[in-house]
Amino acid sequence: MDSIRITGGNELRGTIPISGAKNAALPLMIAALLTEDTLTLENVPHLADVELLTRILGNHGVDYSVNGRREDQGEGYSRTVHFTARNIVDTTAPYELVSKMRASFWVIGPLLARLGQARVSLPGGCAIGTRPVDLFIDGLRALGARIEIEGGYVQADAPKGLVGNRFVFPKVSVGATHVLVMAAALARGETVLENAAREPEVVNLAECLTAMGARIEGAGTSTITVSGVPALSGAVHRVIPDRIETGTYAMAVAMTGGDVLLEGARPDLLEAALEAIGRAGAEITPVNSGIRVRRNGAGIAPVDVSTAPFPGFPTDLQAQFMALMTRAGGTARITETIFENRFMHVQELARLGARISQTGQTAVVEGVPRLKGAPVMATDLRASVSLVIAGLAAEGETVVNRVYHLDRGFERLEEKLSRCGAAIERQSG
Ligand code: EPZ
């Protein structure tokens, strides 16, 4: 299994191109199931999760090509991919595939809306918490679907099609918002979704669906209104830049010091996180080509954060911010409110010398003057990358194991960082 070896202590200087957002690309790819025409997505990141979802969609009968080539011949950074779901050959998403990636459960929305049936495996638990699917089921039932859960599968039927309705999410959910917007796009009549997720990925999906002929208002606010249409067509649509990758590299620079241009990044996608990084002492400057992050010499100030749905501080940057706070000149409190078990990085950061105590959903991070390299590993993507940025700032050598988690969500991580002066390399083994 590959690992990443880092010798810490180098400042980061240069340019890091920001890739297309994983969490925008995944629902956009799933939206291809809604039409028999070709959906062309630009700026699709080359990531393990994208490849896995491509295979899952292939199982349903979706054809794809990358700039005229097959995906497996593609090389390099984010690419243009064409998806065509002319004939859906299978409306079942099996356990073997859904259990590998939770987002693949989202195929339930388009399959049900277009074909009147879907049989999708329950995704099961995952490393960051239990992650139930009750909101999806309640929402699809509100649109008239008959749903039964049997043998670990959700069987959903709507032989006469879905019917628009009002649905109030009892809790904000990004995935359930994606699914209900997609399902409502092909339902009869009007659907009003209240307490919907406001994440930029929801807006990106709604813009794509609109280009495909859907009638959607209010995406980006907590009330989304969808007027169903009988069919959607193909479109060409661009994936937004990855706000989590942007925030991760900004925190890396805040931690190591240096001066980096995050090329193509959009500050409006992560204002809460940039504000926290700024308060920690980094200089954040929006420029035409992206965001410039600088920190010269001065120490890191402690900043308390609490995760929240957009526009709050994202849970997907909580681990990385904790890494940054391990070197603060004081004590910071970090509270996780979205997932109940998203502190696996605490123990691993402690292996590098961090002082962190955890009470319930809050971690109290007492900054230390220096971290020391060590072998570490993590069981999810964002926790893994928090160990990478801590390793960049630690003295000596850090080896991050279980790199496949990083490959799920960070395109060319080692290359992007080493081009800015980091001593980082992948070791196969
Ligand atoms: C998306 O997951 C992201 N994944 C996650 O990123 C991100 O952490 C999360 O949103 C929150 O921002 C993708 O976009 C592919 P939720 P999602 O439904 O949609 C509870 C990463 O590292 N809930 O918004 O699955 C749930 O348990 C990943 O890239 C229910 O209770 O998250 C959680 O507590 C990790 N019932 C909360 O809602 C449901 O039916 C928010 O989860 C659904 C969710």
Side-chain angles (χ1 to χ4, degrees), residues 11-16 249 253 257-263 291-295 420:
E11 290 197 335
L12 295 171
R13 289 186 185 275
T15 296
I16 297 182
Y249 290 131
V253 179
D259 185 346
V260 170
L261 171 68
L262 302 173
E263 195 177 42
I291 302 173
R292 185 170 174 194
V293 186
R294 270 180 292 184
R295 191 174 74 81
C420 288

Side-chain angles (χ1 to χ4, degrees), residues 22-23 26 102-103 106 128 131-136 171-176 199 315-316 338-339 342 381-382:
K22 166 180 86 80
N23 288 349
L26 299 178
R102 184 181 159 86
W106 301 348
I128 60 178
R131 300 179 84 184
V133 292
D134 53 322
L135 303 177
F136 297 82
K171 180 175 190 177
V172 177
S173 162
V174 177
E199 267 66 5
T315 172
D316 289 348
I338 310 288
F339 293 110
R342 210 174 195 185
L381 164 63
R382 311 304 175 184

